[in-house]
Amino acid sequence: MEARDATAGALVSSDGEEQAAKKDAPTTTEKTPTKSKMEQIFGFKKEDLTSWQNLVTLLNRPTDPASLGIFRCLFGLLMAIDITQERGLSHLDYKYLDGAPVCRFPLFNFLQPLPMDWMYLVYAVMFLGALGIMLGCFYRLSCLMFISTYWYIFFLDKTAWNNHSYLYGLIGFQLTLMDGNRYWSVDGLRRPSIRNAHVPLWNYTLLRTQIFIVYFIAGIKKLDADWVEGYSMSYLAHHWLFDPFKTILPVELVSLLVVHGGGLMLDLSAGYLLFFDATRPYAFFFVSYFHCMNSQLFSIGMFSYTMLATSPLFCYTDWPRRFFSHFPSFLKSVLPFTSPESQTSTSCVYPEGQSTSSERQETPAVARVSKLRFKHKLGAFFTILYIAEQFFMPYSHFITQGYNNWTNGLYGYSWDMMVHSRSHQHVKITYKDGITGEIGYLNPGVFTQSKRWKDHGDMLKQYATCLHQFLPRYNISDPEIYFDIWVSINERFQQRIFDPRVDIVKAEWSPFKPNPWLMPLLVDLSPWRTKFQEIEGSLDNQTEIVFIADFPGLHLENFVSEDLGNTSIHVLQGQVSVEIVEEKKNHTLQPGEQIQVPAGAYHKVYTVSEGPSCYMYIYVNTTEAALQENFTKLFELQERVRNGTETEPLPPELQPLIAAEDGEAEVNATDPIVRLFLKRQRRMKEVKKRREAGVLERFERFAVKKYYTIRRGFLMTAIAMRNLAVGLPPLEQLTREVAFANMKEPEAEANQDERLKDEVGHGEL
């Protein structure tokens, strides 16, 4: 049995050239040395790890460049697409508003965006770098162009940080140090000496280990009790993608076993399954299915496709040669090399006394290296150091303590993917004039486009400092800023995340010290989540409920909208005092007691017990309930008219129900309830039509949407480059150019116009 057919490793496996060498070698008395069981499984011998010299030799073993070259091409292509979308090229002018008072959240406060046209230049350099990586053209320069601009943009905005954006930067950094342009590259055409040349094994070891870490550490982080018990992503089970599972399992078990259990097992095992030949086909199936589902479940850009592109890295490194050898011969001029022969490379260390088939047939362009050089040792040292650092970083939060706000530190490098889900019930920003003492309130999110500042102490500090700088423009002197933010993490009680009594402007914050004004997560109350499900199951569909937990000595000030009738507070644990502001009365409640609170008025709930209090709001949205009742009556009337059972003539305000199929009926409806009912029907039909669309129609819709997105990014970049080169044109010309760039497909423009009319015409609803 050949080594390829045995169970061979993927992290430091052999490159599969033995088989080609056997085929091309002359049939003499040469014998292929028998491989040990360990070498058959892992691709290396025990002796390779017994000394530093042997380890360096192993990591610099000559390896086929084919798989690395194909991955380089795919990664560059995906990053070029990603730049126009998730990196934000298509909406750059909305993201970086020149001259506007905007609060930003860079990693380092001194980092600021360049002027608008220069930011387009930064993105253009990054795009050209990604394109150069894809083509393997001026490879090192292209990698430097990509990663320098990528990391600048990454550090410029923490609100856009996520695991996969961090991963893109890591892979780009690794490719910069690798010989990724040795196969199917423009550089190979320009420089025959590197074309189809071997690459050292550590190139593959780094990438394979990085992907292994992504899967495995993500699985380790999912061993968290919230994930194992099914609280982290329970809402996903309601997605249509899980409908096949719901035919045999209730939705609760789909959430627990499929979403959470399946996600945990896949992350823990994917790296190992990809490692071995025997399990790799099964790993390919499950990993591909997993990432295809993620592409539909989440708006995560190119991440799913990038992870799919990494899977072939675990195959034998000559798989592209075998794959493209099956294509017709007339395509071989544009396809990658299929010949098994590779050139020697000074980046690799070759065993003494052995030669490849290509060396026996022709004089190599590059002399074989059989002795260790400094760069070989440096490559091996970097590989070991990088892998150790990547295993350490997810557990380095004892260093970056200031970032630990109910998460595992600086979000991104922890690989805690989807472990935490949050919902915000109440956000209040209070300012106090430092001179007059005047107190006022700010609209949450003023001066910023982001929402993530609500969850992270470092961003909250930056936001408060920014507000402190902007508010004096509005005659508020030396303002103090206070935040009262209520968050539920993984279906727990809504509770405060930050101390509302602390002026965040003057509060201390350090990345290396615990956040002193972070309120602790009330993990002792986590068992209540089981009770929540029982309580919610006992309510009807029109009754809403919110679970609240608060700390001793604090109070919640709340306003009950007039739409919310029959609102009551039920105490679950602890002792509270409810103050009805208008009545100037206080009511003390014990566990099991409740009180009705008036609609259209303020009330305050004080926690007066020694420990935290727990209570719940139960209410009915009477306006929404009445609207749904009217919709039901209108639908029944419409059905009677259609089937001819309605004998009474319709009044004028209900006549549009007859012509409901006509789009003008909605416009001509004089009754606001009828107009809203017809609009709702039309939207439901559109949603149904889109869901039932065929594959070709879906693809066309997707392609058109992406075309206009990419088109806008390129046109706005061209405008910015022209502005930098020759200066700004007249305002009328610039307006026309931007309007042309903003052009959308007719359907999208119509929908946008309708949304605009809805906002203007139905504001009263």
Side-chain angles (χ1 to χ4, degrees):
M1 178 182 291
E2 297 176 349
R4 184 182 309 282
D5 300 321
T7 306
L11 291 183
V12 288
S13 64
S14 62
D15 60 358
E17 291 186 357
E18 311 93 349
Q19 188 179 19
K22 289 179 189 177
K23 185 174 67 175
D24 295 335
T27 53
T28 61
T29 56
E30 290 185 27
K31 282 190 176 182
T32 303
T34 304
K35 293 189 176 184
S36 65
K37 190 67 174 179
M38 181 176 179
E39 194 171 4
Q40 292 178 6
I41 296 176
F42 296 103
F44 60 89
K45 298 176 291 185
K46 181 174 63 176
E47 292 76 10
D48 292 331
L49 306 178
T50 56
S51 69
W52 169 246
Q53 183 174 352
N54 290 347
L55 180 60
V56 174
T57 303
L58 172 66
L59 290 175
N60 287 277
R61 174 192 295 173
T63 314
D64 197 310
S67 183
L68 180 62
I70 296 300
F71 173 73
R72 180 216 75 232
C73 183
L74 292 175
F75 178 76
L77 172 63
L78 293 169
M79 290 304 98
I81 299 173
D82 176 81
I83 289 167
T84 65
Q85 298 183 59
E86 193 170 2
R87 294 316 114 204
L89 177 61
S90 61
H91 56 274
L92 197 62
D93 48 331
Y94 299 110
K95 187 175 183 180
Y96 301 104
L97 303 172
D98 267 353
V102 179
C103 295
R104 304 191 185 279
F105 306 91
L107 178 62
F108 307 104
N109 290 329
F110 65 84
L111 278 178
Q112 294 297 323
L114 300 173
M116 180 67 64
D117 290 338
W118 287 98
M119 287 303 298
Y120 273 106
L121 178 61
V122 170
Y123 273 75
V125 171
M126 182 166 56
F127 179 81
L128 291 175
L131 204 60
I133 292 174
M134 180 185 74
L135 299 175
C137 182
F138 299 103
Y139 177 68
R140 303 288 181 200
L141 176 61
S142 296
C143 287
L144 288 174
M145 290 168 59
F146 175 75
I147 66 167
S148 59
T149 50
Y150 185 92
W151 283 103
Y152 166 67
I153 292 170
F154 185 79
F155 287 146
L156 197 59
D157 185 12
K158 285 185 291 189
T159 66
W161 284 25
N162 49 45
N163 288 280
H164 58 268
S165 296
Y166 171 62
L167 177 64
Y168 298 161
L170 292 179
I171 293 177
F173 169 67
Q174 293 176 39
L175 288 177
T176 305
L177 306 177
M178 296 177 182
D179 298 329
N181 59 340
R182 300 301 193 255
Y183 185 80
W184 205 31
S185 67
V186 173
D187 286 349
L189 298 177
R190 293 172 45 248
R191 300 167 55 194
S193 61
I194 68 169
R195 186 189 311 167
N196 201 29
H198 286 129
V199 298
L201 181 59
W202 67 262
N203 286 195
Y204 287 98
T205 303
L206 268 185
L207 286 170
R208 291 163 172 168
T209 307
Q210 182 68 75
I211 302 307
F212 174 86
I213 288 173
V214 172
Y215 283 119
F216 185 69
I217 299 298
I220 294 294
K221 294 301 181 79
K222 287 182 174 63
L223 291 174
D224 178 81
D226 286 358
W227 184 277
V228 173
E229 294 174 11
Y231 291 110
S232 295
M233 293 285 126
S234 58
Y235 66 91
L236 288 182
H238 298 280
H239 196 279
W240 63 266
L241 281 172
F242 295 96
D243 286 349
F245 300 101
K246 285 182 280 189
T247 59
I248 56 176
L249 293 173
V251 67
E252 293 81 8
L253 286 182
V254 171
S255 173
L256 181 62
L257 300 180
V258 180
V259 176
H260 293 88
L264 172 64
M265 294 305 299
L266 185 134
D267 279 339
L268 285 176
S269 62
Y272 294 102
L273 295 178
L274 287 168
F275 191 96
F276 300 105
D277 285 2
T279 56
R280 195 173 300 126
Y282 305 103
F284 267 49
F285 172 78
F286 287 111
V287 165
S288 300
Y289 183 72
F290 174 74
H291 291 303
C292 288
M293 288 186 68
N294 283 345
S295 69
Q296 301 299 310
L297 288 170
F298 309 108
S299 299
I300 50 178
M302 294 294 106
F303 178 58
S304 299
Y305 310 105
T306 303
M307 292 303 291
L308 288 173
T310 63
S311 295
L313 285 171
F314 290 85
C315 298
Y316 284 100
T317 54
D318 65 340
W319 72 264
R321 301 181 189 275
R322 291 178 281 117
F323 175 76
F324 289 110
S325 66
H326 298 291
F327 282 69
S329 57
F330 68 88
L331 294 176
K332 291 189 176 180
S333 59
V334 295
L335 292 177
F337 285 110
T338 57
S339 169
E341 299 175 358
S342 297
Q343 293 193 75
T344 57
S345 170
T346 57
S347 299
C348 305
V349 178
Y350 294 84
E352 295 184 7
Q354 293 185 16
S355 61
T356 64
S357 58
S358 60
E359 292 176 298
R360 286 190 294 268
Q361 296 175 17
E362 57 182 61
T363 302
V366 179
R368 293 171 64 249
V369 178
S370 57
K371 294 183 179 180
L372 298 182
R373 297 180 178 178
F374 175 74
K375 69 175 182 179
H376 300 140
K377 298 177 181 178
L378 186 62
F381 177 76
F382 171 76
T383 300
I384 296 171
L385 181 65
Y386 180 87
I387 292 174
E389 176 265 343
Q390 282 296 301
F391 274 109
F392 169 76
M393 286 288 281
Y395 300 98
S396 63
H397 309 306
F398 63 92
I399 299 175
T400 56
Q401 299 178 68
Y403 293 100
N404 293 340
N405 297 326
W406 297 358
T407 63
N408 297 325
L410 270 172
Y411 189 79
Y413 66 72
S414 297
W415 308 118
D416 52 344
M417 291 184 268
M418 313 309 293
V419 177
H420 304 108
S421 62
R422 297 169 178 262
S423 63
H424 298 82
Q425 183 68 26
H426 180 70
V427 179
K428 183 173 72 173
I429 305 177
T430 306
Y431 69 83
K432 181 180 180 181
D433 192 301
I435 297 178
T436 65
E438 177 187 358
I439 294 177
Y441 304 95
L442 299 176
N443 182 30
V446 65
F447 298 126
T448 183
Q449 300 171 330
S450 172
K451 298 179 180 179
R452 290 185 69 177
W453 56 267
K454 295 181 291 187
D455 297 321
H456 302 275
D458 58 314
M459 297 187 202
L460 199 76
K461 177 66 177 179
Q462 290 175 307
Y463 190 36
T465 303
C466 179
L467 293 176
H468 181 78
Q469 296 171 351
F470 285 156
L471 289 182
R473 303 181 186 181
Y474 302 91
N475 299 321
I476 302 172
S477 304
D478 192 21
E480 301 173 4
I481 309 295
Y482 302 88
F483 294 90
D484 193 12
I485 301 174
W486 294 74
V487 183
S488 169
I489 183 170
N490 295 343
E491 302 185 19
R492 288 180 172 85
F493 281 101
Q494 291 280 342
Q495 69 155 93
R496 287 182 166 95
I497 184 172
F498 304 111
D499 193 331
R501 300 164 294 190
V502 175
D503 174 17
I504 305 300
V505 176
K506 299 176 183 177
E508 294 183 0
W509 181 86
S510 169
F512 308 114
K513 296 180 181 179
N515 190 340
W517 31 274
L518 171 69
M519 306 297 283
L521 179 63
L522 297 172
V523 292
D524 292 341
L525 302 178
S526 298
W528 274 96
R529 289 180 293 188
T530 305
K531 186 67 174 177
F532 293 169
Q533 297 174 353
E534 298 177 6
I535 296 174
E536 290 172 343
S538 65
L539 303 176
D540 57 47
N541 293 332
Q542 295 181 346
T543 304
E544 303 290 340
I545 190 167
V546 178
F547 298 97
I548 304 290
D550 203 2
F551 296 90
L554 295 179
H555 72 275
L556 168 65
E557 183 178 8
N558 202 3
F559 177 82
V560 179
S561 170
E562 294 180 354
D563 294 331
L564 306 181
N566 196 26
T567 301
S568 58
I569 299 175
H570 300 245
V571 180
L572 303 173
Q573 178 178 309
Q575 185 178 0
V576 303
S577 177
V578 180
E579 176 188 355
I580 309 300
V581 176
E582 290 185 354
E583 300 177 1
K584 297 182 180 180
K585 291 182 179 180
N586 285 15
H587 306 269
T588 301
L589 302 180
Q590 303 290 340
E593 297 180 348
Q594 66 182 64
I595 186 175
Q596 193 90 6
V597 290
Y602 280 94
H603 66 270
K604 298 179 181 179
V605 184
Y606 297 85
T607 297
V608 295
S609 55
E610 293 183 358
S613 66
C614 307
Y615 50 95
M616 59 183 178
Y617 281 90
I618 298 180
Y619 61 92
V620 176
N621 190 327
T622 52
T623 302
E624 179 68 21
L627 190 62
Q628 290 298 328
E629 184 179 354
N630 286 329
F631 281 176
T632 302
K633 292 179 180 179
L634 289 174
F635 178 76
E636 293 173 352
L637 177 61
Q638 190 180 56
E639 288 297 306
R640 292 198 301 270
V641 171
R642 286 176 176 173
N643 58 32
T645 58
E646 179 62 31
T647 58
E648 298 292 331
L650 296 181
E653 64 271 15
L654 297 181
Q655 289 292 333
L657 292 175
I658 303 176
E661 302 296 333
D662 184 6
E664 295 296 326
E666 178 185 320
V667 178
N668 296 331
T670 57
D671 189 290
I673 302 298
V674 174
R675 188 162 61 244
L676 201 60
F677 171 74
L678 295 176
K679 184 194 305 180
R680 179 172 174 268
Q681 276 196 323
R682 179 168 55 84
R683 287 178 177 173
M684 291 175 63
K685 289 179 181 178
E686 290 174 356
V687 170
K688 183 179 179 181
K689 180 181 178 182
R690 293 173 70 89
R691 287 182 176 176
E692 295 178 351
V695 176
L696 291 178
E697 185 179 347
R698 287 172 179 264
F699 177 77
E700 180 184 4
R701 192 165 61 225
F702 171 82
V704 169
K705 180 180 178 181
K706 295 304 177 185
Y707 164 75
Y708 280 97
T709 299
I710 297 173
R711 173 185 179 275
R712 186 182 193 278
F714 286 157
L715 289 177
M716 293 297 292
T717 302
I719 294 172
M721 297 303 99
R722 189 274 319 278
N723 294 345
L724 291 175
V726 301
L728 287 171
L731 183 59
E732 295 79 7
Q733 177 184 342
L734 188 61
T735 303
R736 290 195 303 270
E737 292 172 348
V738 174
F740 179 71
N742 288 337
M743 185 177 67
K744 295 181 174 63
E745 65 271 27
E747 181 181 354
E749 289 181 345
N751 292 339
Q752 187 176 19
D753 292 341
E754 289 177 3
R755 286 195 297 270
L756 203 58
K757 287 191 296 184
D758 293 344
E759 292 175 3
V760 176
H762 300 301
E764 72 278 9
L765 296 178

